[in-house]
Amino acid sequence: MNKKFWIIATLLHCGLYAVAETETTDSLRHVNLEEAQVFSTRATARTPIAFVNISKEAIQKQNAGLDIPFLLLMTPSVLTTTDAGAGIGYSTIRVRGTDATRINVTTNGIPMNDAESHAIFWVNTPDLASSLKDMQIQRGAGTSTNGAGAFGGSINMQTESSAINPYAEISGSYGSFNTQKETFKVGTGLVNNRWAFDARLSHIKSDGYRDRASAQLKSYFAQAGYYGDKTTVKFITFGGKEETYHAWDGITKDMLETDRTYNPNGVIEDENGKAVGFYDDQLDVYRQTHYQLLFNHIFNPAWNLNVAFHYTGGEGYYQEYKNGRYLAEYGLQPYVDAEGKTVETSNLIRRKNVASDFGGMVFSLNYQTGKLQASLGGGMNKYKNDHDGNVIWVKNYIGDLAPDHKFYENTGEKLDANIYGRLNYEFVRNLNFYVDLQYRHINYTIKGVNDKYDWSAGHMQPLNLDETFNFFNPKAGLFWQINSQNSAYASFAVAQKEPTRNNYTDGFFTQRPKAERLLDYELGYTFRSGRFTAGVNLYYMDYKDQLVLTGQLNEIGEAVSANVKDSYRTGAELSAGMRFTNWLRWDVNATLSRNRIKHYTEYLSDVNENWKDMTTADGGISQTANYLGSTPISFSPDFMLNSLIAFNYKGLDASLQSQYVSKQYLNNSGDNDCTLDAYFVSNLNVSYTFKLPAMKSVTVGVTVYNLFDETYESNGYASRTAVYPTPDRIKPAGVKPEIVPYAAYYPNAGINALAYLTLRF
């Protein structure tokens, strides 16, 4: 522990990971047209918000096969998690403690978040990083963008530019857990001074760190572009197919000590509840395809227009083996077995299917002179998602079981339209005023039958939702370029966000969740010189009606997310960086924060001393309300520290990434038995680039993840139960219960490595 303390203390004296956006030398002369596509949703040097640009070069150095969240790991206030434990498959990202449903993601200005869940499933577009020109990650409410509101951050990705000259590239990697990645890229270069075509094929495979947590991922990218003197038209399509074995459930702390890689998903139990094997087809399978038609036109040096039409189609399912389930939950009748016994529960296999269509257009009209930048933009997008579920097998079932018996079916539809105007004006020398006004309209409907069985009514829960939201989201700020080395900014932003699909389908039957609102206050300062940079960003994010898990259950015993009236995140993001020589640099950033729910009440499920569910007098589900006052928000560490030491000399490239994350709570109770321990993890990357005859370059390298073999977990979940000292199923009056916590964890891999080779022609 003392060793870790001194490592952390030393790093605190150093500075920021700040990646400068650089242009590749073979970009088209018309690259200014391509950049116009994302100009209106990106922050620029004088935008008063916190952001980091990540260049294509920085992406390439880290892109050995892990999911995109891990390419953002060294940026301030960013955490990553991985179900399979090794960074391939279901991985996600948190910014300032907020989860994926609150992080807006776009590609070329087009929304990537699922319109219903608001999450981004990176596994559906594997190896997209190999076709990216750059990324910008904004923290806080950020600039107005298309899609769901940013409540913690936004990620803006731009696909790569075409090259002037023909090229080909072959890359591959192999390493721990039988992880492998193969990528092939080719481009025609500029044809007839006007046309260019590019394509990529990728395959990624991994057994995963956890048992059976395998992933089989395939993807492609293709683009065709016409480059006129003032007009660019590009057609882009990319997509992928993923097949992953479930690793969705965590394991207890005791299990971490005895069988750390154990994966409970897919377990098959006998009549006595004893595990007798695992189901081979406990799979998640999904195919997603994106189509984008981008049009950019420059009218004159001041004015340009970009318009994008898009369509995304997705289709897939996940399949599960379920033990001892009530047949009634699936619309099946109990049956009488050979011994004359009525059977109400059985093992079965269910498949949940989804098919989605998402399409629309986004646009921006941009004006820029020496002192003024202005944009008028927006878009209209329509989403439709069909959900249904089938029972495909029941153990020893006697009776009529139609093939692929369907037990629920519903359709969600969403219309999302927004328009915004943005202005950044230097009204006095070196002082810019920024204003960004957005209006957003959402209509969301769900019709059909839910996958939840209503025991009180004796049938599946009907769904009949029709909700409309109208949000006005103003943002304003000041940017002051004090002198050539010093700058400062201040801003205020309002962001509002509609509930997700799960907030409705897993909510109360008779109550509707309210929309959430964020008031975001930011204050920053930066110093830059030839060799040293330093900065601080202070933020206060004030949430109204934030939706969080409170332990409360709905009418059929499902956990619901409830609106909490007041909560906040506040902190300081510190950064510094030093370039010692042209070949050695050290960057560090740190986040100190306080994240709290005010006046928090948790709900504890009641059981008796024999751990049987207790009921209310009318037969409902019994819970105990437990007022806790101010409590820490889950998954929001008070302290984070990132360090990047980078060495580059005559083709030899080496970097040491290190991240320290303090303790995190798994729920909102502040219970120290429901936490993730602090961890300190380092990754080492070493590569060498050289030339061979008939090749532009050859790069060979290896990345060692978790270099010091830290034993840690970066994700989990928890609950608390009220245990009453009575055998009665009715909650006793005036008796104080014992509060018993339960926590489960997703273990991360120890030291592991990926070796890689890239050939460029």
Side-chain angles (χ1 to χ4, degrees), residues 374-401:
S375 295
L376 175 66
M380 179 174 291
N381 304 297
K382 182 68 182 292
Y383 181 87
K384 181 181 179 183
N385 212 352
D386 294 319
H387 306 261
D388 64 73
N390 307 96
V391 177
I392 62 176
W393 174 83
V394 180
K395 183 179 181 180
N396 299 328
Y397 190 72
I398 299 175
D400 294 329
L401 178 62

PDB file of all heavy atoms in Angstrom, residues 374-401:
ATOM      1  N   ALA A 374     -20.664  31.040 -36.416  1.00  0.00           N
ATOM      2  CA  ALA A 374     -22.090  30.845 -36.160  1.00  0.00           C
ATOM      3  C   ALA A 374     -22.574  29.621 -36.911  1.00  0.00           C
ATOM      4  O   ALA A 374     -22.080  29.303 -37.999  1.00  0.00           O
ATOM      5  CB  ALA A 374     -22.892  32.076 -36.583  1.00  0.00           C
ATOM      6  N   SER A 375     -23.533  28.928 -36.311  1.00  0.00           N
ATOM      7  CA  SER A 375     -24.120  27.739 -36.937  1.00  0.00           C
ATOM      8  C   SER A 375     -25.611  27.704 -36.662  1.00  0.00           C
ATOM      9  O   SER A 375     -26.070  28.050 -35.563  1.00  0.00           O
ATOM     10  CB  SER A 375     -23.490  26.456 -36.391  1.00  0.00           C
ATOM     11  OG  SER A 375     -22.133  26.359 -36.729  1.00  0.00           O
ATOM     12  N   LEU A 376     -26.338  27.284 -37.669  1.00  0.00           N
ATOM     13  CA  LEU A 376     -27.747  26.934 -37.516  1.00  0.00           C
ATOM     14  C   LEU A 376     -27.856  25.478 -37.932  1.00  0.00           C
ATOM     15  O   LEU A 376     -27.533  25.115 -39.073  1.00  0.00           O
ATOM     16  CB  LEU A 376     -28.632  27.812 -38.406  1.00  0.00           C
ATOM     17  CG  LEU A 376     -30.126  27.449 -38.411  1.00  0.00           C
ATOM     18  CD1 LEU A 376     -30.745  27.691 -37.032  1.00  0.00           C
ATOM     19  CD2 LEU A 376     -30.866  28.222 -39.489  1.00  0.00           C
ATOM     20  N   GLY A 377     -28.271  24.625 -37.005  1.00  0.00           N
ATOM     21  CA  GLY A 377     -28.283  23.195 -37.303  1.00  0.00           C
ATOM     22  C   GLY A 377     -29.411  22.482 -36.616  1.00  0.00           C
ATOM     23  O   GLY A 377     -30.224  23.073 -35.894  1.00  0.00           O
ATOM     24  N   GLY A 378     -29.443  21.178 -36.849  1.00  0.00           N
ATOM     25  CA  GLY A 378     -30.470  20.357 -36.232  1.00  0.00           C
ATOM     26  C   GLY A 378     -30.677  19.082 -37.015  1.00  0.00           C
ATOM     27  O   GLY A 378     -29.823  18.652 -37.802  1.00  0.00           O
ATOM     28  N   GLY A 379     -31.836  18.481 -36.814  1.00  0.00           N
ATOM     29  CA  GLY A 379     -32.127  17.240 -37.516  1.00  0.00           C
ATOM     30  C   GLY A 379     -33.468  16.682 -37.109  1.00  0.00           C
ATOM     31  O   GLY A 379     -34.113  17.140 -36.161  1.00  0.00           O
ATOM     32  N   MET A 380     -33.885  15.678 -37.860  1.00  0.00           N
ATOM     33  CA  MET A 380     -35.112  14.944 -37.549  1.00  0.00           C
ATOM     34  C   MET A 380     -34.841  13.467 -37.789  1.00  0.00           C
ATOM     35  O   MET A 380     -34.373  13.076 -38.861  1.00  0.00           O
ATOM     36  CB  MET A 380     -36.287  15.417 -38.408  1.00  0.00           C
ATOM     37  CG  MET A 380     -37.584  14.662 -38.123  1.00  0.00           C
ATOM     38  SD  MET A 380     -39.011  15.328 -39.018  1.00  0.00           S
ATOM     39  CE  MET A 380     -39.211  16.899 -38.201  1.00  0.00           C
ATOM     40  N   ASN A 381     -35.102  12.654 -36.771  1.00  0.00           N
ATOM     41  CA  ASN A 381     -34.793  11.233 -36.831  1.00  0.00           C
ATOM     42  C   ASN A 381     -35.977  10.421 -36.337  1.00  0.00           C
ATOM     43  O   ASN A 381     -36.644  10.787 -35.362  1.00  0.00           O
ATOM     44  CB  ASN A 381     -33.566  10.925 -35.969  1.00  0.00           C
ATOM     45  CG  ASN A 381     -32.363  11.764 -36.358  1.00  0.00           C
ATOM     46  OD1 ASN A 381     -31.861  11.665 -37.465  1.00  0.00           O
ATOM     47  ND2 ASN A 381     -31.908  12.622 -35.440  1.00  0.00           N
ATOM     48  N   LYS A 382     -36.224   9.310 -37.014  1.00  0.00           N
ATOM     49  CA  LYS A 382     -37.344   8.427 -36.658  1.00  0.00           C
ATOM     50  C   LYS A 382     -36.787   7.046 -36.332  1.00  0.00           C
ATOM     51  O   LYS A 382     -35.919   6.521 -37.044  1.00  0.00           O
ATOM     52  CB  LYS A 382     -38.338   8.321 -37.824  1.00  0.00           C
ATOM     53  CG  LYS A 382     -39.571   7.468 -37.536  1.00  0.00           C
ATOM     54  CD  LYS A 382     -40.471   8.121 -36.518  1.00  0.00           C
ATOM     55  CE  LYS A 382     -41.699   7.248 -36.183  1.00  0.00           C
ATOM     56  NZ  LYS A 382     -42.626   7.123 -37.311  1.00  0.00           N
ATOM     57  N   TYR A 383     -37.302   6.470 -35.254  1.00  0.00           N
ATOM     58  CA  TYR A 383     -36.801   5.180 -34.764  1.00  0.00           C
ATOM     59  C   TYR A 383     -37.982   4.245 -34.546  1.00  0.00           C
ATOM     60  O   TYR A 383     -39.032   4.639 -34.033  1.00  0.00           O
ATOM     61  CB  TYR A 383     -36.056   5.395 -33.448  1.00  0.00           C
ATOM     62  CG  TYR A 383     -35.456   4.156 -32.830  1.00  0.00           C
ATOM     63  CD1 TYR A 383     -34.188   3.724 -33.195  1.00  0.00           C
ATOM     64  CD2 TYR A 383     -36.132   3.440 -31.868  1.00  0.00           C
ATOM     65  CE1 TYR A 383     -33.608   2.602 -32.613  1.00  0.00           C
ATOM     66  CE2 TYR A 383     -35.574   2.313 -31.275  1.00  0.00           C
ATOM     67  CZ  TYR A 383     -34.310   1.908 -31.650  1.00  0.00           C
ATOM     68  OH  TYR A 383     -33.748   0.795 -31.068  1.00  0.00           O
ATOM     69  N   LYS A 384     -37.776   2.985 -34.908  1.00  0.00           N
ATOM     70  CA  LYS A 384     -38.771   1.952 -34.639  1.00  0.00           C
ATOM     71  C   LYS A 384     -38.049   0.691 -34.197  1.00  0.00           C
ATOM     72  O   LYS A 384     -37.062   0.289 -34.801  1.00  0.00           O
ATOM     73  CB  LYS A 384     -39.612   1.652 -35.884  1.00  0.00           C
ATOM     74  CG  LYS A 384     -40.684   0.581 -35.656  1.00  0.00           C
ATOM     75  CD  LYS A 384     -41.470   0.297 -36.932  1.00  0.00           C
ATOM     76  CE  LYS A 384     -42.509  -0.792 -36.685  1.00  0.00           C
ATOM     77  NZ  LYS A 384     -43.242  -1.141 -37.933  1.00  0.00           N
ATOM     78  N   ASN A 385     -38.547   0.096 -33.124  1.00  0.00           N
ATOM     79  CA  ASN A 385     -37.912  -1.089 -32.566  1.00  0.00           C
ATOM     80  C   ASN A 385     -38.988  -2.121 -32.225  1.00  0.00           C
ATOM     81  O   ASN A 385     -39.881  -1.849 -31.412  1.00  0.00           O
ATOM     82  CB  ASN A 385     -37.130  -0.724 -31.306  1.00  0.00           C
ATOM     83  CG  ASN A 385     -35.910  -1.591 -31.110  1.00  0.00           C
ATOM     84  OD1 ASN A 385     -35.716  -2.561 -31.823  1.00  0.00           O
ATOM     85  ND2 ASN A 385     -35.084  -1.251 -30.136  1.00  0.00           N
ATOM     86  N   ASP A 386     -38.909  -3.280 -32.860  1.00  0.00           N
ATOM     87  CA  ASP A 386     -39.854  -4.375 -32.593  1.00  0.00           C
ATOM     88  C   ASP A 386     -39.223  -5.349 -31.612  1.00  0.00           C
ATOM     89  O   ASP A 386     -38.113  -5.852 -31.829  1.00  0.00           O
ATOM     90  CB  ASP A 386     -40.204  -5.107 -33.890  1.00  0.00           C
ATOM     91  CG  ASP A 386     -40.976  -4.234 -34.861  1.00  0.00           C
ATOM     92  OD1 ASP A 386     -41.861  -3.491 -34.396  1.00  0.00           O
ATOM     93  OD2 ASP A 386     -40.693  -4.289 -36.070  1.00  0.00           O
ATOM     94  N   HIS A 387     -39.940  -5.618 -30.531  1.00  0.00           N
ATOM     95  CA  HIS A 387     -39.467  -6.538 -29.498  1.00  0.00           C
ATOM     96  C   HIS A 387     -40.435  -7.718 -29.401  1.00  0.00           C
ATOM     97  O   HIS A 387     -41.660  -7.538 -29.383  1.00  0.00           O
ATOM     98  CB  HIS A 387     -39.430  -5.853 -28.124  1.00  0.00           C
ATOM     99  CG  HIS A 387     -38.647  -4.579 -28.078  1.00  0.00           C
ATOM    100  ND1 HIS A 387     -37.349  -4.511 -27.620  1.00  0.00           N
ATOM    101  CD2 HIS A 387     -38.981  -3.305 -28.424  1.00  0.00           C
ATOM    102  CE1 HIS A 387     -36.922  -3.271 -27.683  1.00  0.00           C
ATOM    103  NE2 HIS A 387     -37.895  -2.507 -28.169  1.00  0.00           N
ATOM    104  N   ASP A 388     -39.911  -8.917 -29.315  1.00  0.00           N
ATOM    105  CA  ASP A 388     -40.748 -10.073 -29.012  1.00  0.00           C
ATOM    106  C   ASP A 388     -39.884 -11.162 -28.396  1.00  0.00           C
ATOM    107  O   ASP A 388     -38.646 -11.107 -28.451  1.00  0.00           O
ATOM    108  CB  ASP A 388     -41.478 -10.596 -30.258  1.00  0.00           C
ATOM    109  CG  ASP A 388     -40.540 -11.127 -31.323  1.00  0.00           C
ATOM    110  OD1 ASP A 388     -39.965 -12.218 -31.126  1.00  0.00           O
ATOM    111  OD2 ASP A 388     -40.372 -10.456 -32.363  1.00  0.00           O
ATOM    112  N   GLY A 389     -40.542 -12.138 -27.793  1.00  0.00           N
ATOM    113  CA  GLY A 389     -39.822 -13.215 -27.128  1.00  0.00           C
ATOM    114  C   GLY A 389     -40.470 -14.555 -27.367  1.00  0.00           C
ATOM    115  O   GLY A 389     -41.700 -14.655 -27.484  1.00  0.00           O
ATOM    116  N   ASN A 390     -39.620 -15.581 -27.448  1.00  0.00           N
ATOM    117  CA  ASN A 390     -40.100 -16.933 -27.701  1.00  0.00           C
ATOM    118  C   ASN A 390     -39.556 -17.897 -26.651  1.00  0.00           C
ATOM    119  O   ASN A 390     -38.434 -17.750 -26.178  1.00  0.00           O
ATOM    120  CB  ASN A 390     -39.642 -17.439 -29.077  1.00  0.00           C
ATOM    121  CG  ASN A 390     -40.008 -16.489 -30.196  1.00  0.00           C
ATOM    122  OD1 ASN A 390     -39.194 -15.681 -30.605  1.00  0.00           O
ATOM    123  ND2 ASN A 390     -41.227 -16.586 -30.672  1.00  0.00           N
ATOM    124  N   VAL A 391     -40.392 -18.878 -26.317  1.00  0.00           N
ATOM    125  CA  VAL A 391     -39.923 -20.043 -25.560  1.00  0.00           C
ATOM    126  C   VAL A 391     -39.655 -21.131 -26.587  1.00  0.00           C
ATOM    127  O   VAL A 391     -40.557 -21.551 -27.308  1.00  0.00           O
ATOM    128  CB  VAL A 391     -40.963 -20.514 -24.531  1.00  0.00           C
ATOM    129  CG1 VAL A 391     -40.475 -21.763 -23.816  1.00  0.00           C
ATOM    130  CG2 VAL A 391     -41.260 -19.404 -23.530  1.00  0.00           C
ATOM    131  N   ILE A 392     -38.406 -21.572 -26.681  1.00  0.00           N
ATOM    132  CA  ILE A 392     -38.066 -22.533 -27.732  1.00  0.00           C
ATOM    133  C   ILE A 392     -37.906 -23.957 -27.195  1.00  0.00           C
ATOM    134  O   ILE A 392     -37.791 -24.898 -27.990  1.00  0.00           O
ATOM    135  CB  ILE A 392     -36.792 -22.096 -28.476  1.00  0.00           C
ATOM    136  CG1 ILE A 392     -35.587 -22.054 -27.540  1.00  0.00           C
ATOM    137  CG2 ILE A 392     -36.995 -20.730 -29.114  1.00  0.00           C
ATOM    138  CD1 ILE A 392     -34.284 -21.708 -28.264  1.00  0.00           C
ATOM    139  N   TRP A 393     -37.916 -24.104 -25.857  1.00  0.00           N
ATOM    140  CA  TRP A 393     -37.811 -25.453 -25.281  1.00  0.00           C
ATOM    141  C   TRP A 393     -38.208 -25.398 -23.822  1.00  0.00           C
ATOM    142  O   TRP A 393     -37.885 -24.428 -23.109  1.00  0.00           O
ATOM    143  CB  TRP A 393     -36.378 -25.970 -25.405  1.00  0.00           C
ATOM    144  CG  TRP A 393     -36.108 -27.289 -24.730  1.00  0.00           C
ATOM    145  CD1 TRP A 393     -36.345 -28.531 -25.215  1.00  0.00           C
ATOM    146  CD2 TRP A 393     -35.532 -27.472 -23.428  1.00  0.00           C
ATOM    147  NE1 TRP A 393     -35.962 -29.487 -24.303  1.00  0.00           N
ATOM    148  CE2 TRP A 393     -35.442 -28.858 -23.201  1.00  0.00           C
ATOM    149  CE3 TRP A 393     -35.068 -26.601 -22.438  1.00  0.00           C
ATOM    150  CZ2 TRP A 393     -34.933 -29.407 -22.023  1.00  0.00           C
ATOM    151  CZ3 TRP A 393     -34.556 -27.137 -21.264  1.00  0.00           C
ATOM    152  CH2 TRP A 393     -34.482 -28.510 -21.070  1.00  0.00           C
ATOM    153  N   VAL A 394     -38.941 -26.433 -23.356  1.00  0.00           N
ATOM    154  CA  VAL A 394     -39.284 -26.595 -21.943  1.00  0.00           C
ATOM    155  C   VAL A 394     -38.956 -28.027 -21.542  1.00  0.00           C
ATOM    156  O   VAL A 394     -39.340 -28.976 -22.241  1.00  0.00           O
ATOM    157  CB  VAL A 394     -40.774 -26.299 -21.662  1.00  0.00           C
ATOM    158  CG1 VAL A 394     -41.087 -26.491 -20.184  1.00  0.00           C
ATOM    159  CG2 VAL A 394     -41.154 -24.902 -22.106  1.00  0.00           C
ATOM    160  N   LYS A 395     -38.261 -28.181 -20.451  1.00  0.00           N
ATOM    161  CA  LYS A 395     -37.842 -29.507 -20.008  1.00  0.00           C
ATOM    162  C   LYS A 395     -39.048 -30.368 -19.637  1.00  0.00           C
ATOM    163  O   LYS A 395     -39.888 -29.972 -18.820  1.00  0.00           O
ATOM    164  CB  LYS A 395     -36.898 -29.377 -18.806  1.00  0.00           C
ATOM    165  CG  LYS A 395     -36.345 -30.697 -18.302  1.00  0.00           C
ATOM    166  CD  LYS A 395     -35.389 -30.472 -17.131  1.00  0.00           C
ATOM    167  CE  LYS A 395     -34.822 -31.791 -16.629  1.00  0.00           C
ATOM    168  NZ  LYS A 395     -33.898 -31.581 -15.484  1.00  0.00           N
ATOM    169  N   ASN A 396     -39.151 -31.548 -20.262  1.00  0.00           N
ATOM    170  CA  ASN A 396     -40.178 -32.559 -19.938  1.00  0.00           C
ATOM    171  C   ASN A 396     -41.595 -32.008 -20.042  1.00  0.00           C
ATOM    172  O   ASN A 396     -42.497 -32.476 -19.338  1.00  0.00           O
ATOM    173  CB  ASN A 396     -39.965 -33.133 -18.526  1.00  0.00           C
ATOM    174  CG  ASN A 396     -38.633 -33.830 -18.381  1.00  0.00           C
ATOM    175  OD1 ASN A 396     -38.114 -34.419 -19.335  1.00  0.00           O
ATOM    176  ND2 ASN A 396     -38.063 -33.773 -17.180  1.00  0.00           N
ATOM    177  N   TYR A 397     -41.805 -31.035 -20.923  1.00  0.00           N
ATOM    178  CA  TYR A 397     -43.125 -30.420 -20.993  1.00  0.00           C
ATOM    179  C   TYR A 397     -44.139 -31.383 -21.600  1.00  0.00           C
ATOM    180  O   TYR A 397     -43.866 -32.050 -22.605  1.00  0.00           O
ATOM    181  CB  TYR A 397     -43.076 -29.138 -21.823  1.00  0.00           C
ATOM    182  CG  TYR A 397     -44.337 -28.318 -21.743  1.00  0.00           C
ATOM    183  CD1 TYR A 397     -44.653 -27.632 -20.578  1.00  0.00           C
ATOM    184  CD2 TYR A 397     -45.210 -28.221 -22.818  1.00  0.00           C
ATOM    185  CE1 TYR A 397     -45.800 -26.868 -20.488  1.00  0.00           C
ATOM    186  CE2 TYR A 397     -46.366 -27.458 -22.741  1.00  0.00           C
ATOM    187  CZ  TYR A 397     -46.655 -26.784 -21.569  1.00  0.00           C
ATOM    188  OH  TYR A 397     -47.808 -26.032 -21.483  1.00  0.00           O
ATOM    189  N   ILE A 398     -45.313 -31.439 -20.965  1.00  0.00           N
ATOM    190  CA  ILE A 398     -46.429 -32.245 -21.465  1.00  0.00           C
ATOM    191  C   ILE A 398     -47.574 -31.289 -21.784  1.00  0.00           C
ATOM    192  O   ILE A 398     -48.084 -30.606 -20.899  1.00  0.00           O
ATOM    193  CB  ILE A 398     -46.881 -33.296 -20.432  1.00  0.00           C
ATOM    194  CG1 ILE A 398     -45.729 -34.253 -20.113  1.00  0.00           C
ATOM    195  CG2 ILE A 398     -48.099 -34.053 -20.948  1.00  0.00           C
ATOM    196  CD1 ILE A 398     -46.065 -35.243 -19.011  1.00  0.00           C
ATOM    197  N   GLY A 399     -47.938 -31.230 -23.023  1.00  0.00           N
ATOM    198  CA  GLY A 399     -48.995 -30.318 -23.439  1.00  0.00           C
ATOM    199  C   GLY A 399     -48.659 -29.721 -24.783  1.00  0.00           C
ATOM    200  O   GLY A 399     -47.681 -30.100 -25.433  1.00  0.00           O
ATOM    201  N   ASP A 400     -49.494 -28.797 -25.215  1.00  0.00           N
ATOM    202  CA  ASP A 400     -49.289 -28.159 -26.512  1.00  0.00           C
ATOM    203  C   ASP A 400     -48.266 -27.032 -26.372  1.00  0.00           C
ATOM    204  O   ASP A 400     -48.511 -26.027 -25.706  1.00  0.00           O
ATOM    205  CB  ASP A 400     -50.609 -27.593 -27.042  1.00  0.00           C
ATOM    206  CG  ASP A 400     -51.609 -28.700 -27.356  1.00  0.00           C
ATOM    207  OD1 ASP A 400     -51.151 -29.797 -27.726  1.00  0.00           O
ATOM    208  OD2 ASP A 400     -52.817 -28.468 -27.207  1.00  0.00           O
ATOM    209  N   LEU A 401     -47.124 -27.202 -26.992  1.00  0.00           N
ATOM    210  CA  LEU A 401     -46.095 -26.171 -27.026  1.00  0.00           C
ATOM    211  C   LEU A 401     -45.794 -25.881 -28.491  1.00  0.00           C
ATOM    212  O   LEU A 401     -45.106 -26.642 -29.171  1.00  0.00           O
ATOM    213  CB  LEU A 401     -44.820 -26.625 -26.301  1.00  0.00           C
ATOM    214  CG  LEU A 401     -43.651 -25.630 -26.323  1.00  0.00           C
ATOM    215  CD1 LEU A 401     -44.032 -24.337 -25.622  1.00  0.00           C
ATOM    216  CD2 LEU A 401     -42.411 -26.241 -25.671  1.00  0.00           C
TER     217      LEU A 401
END
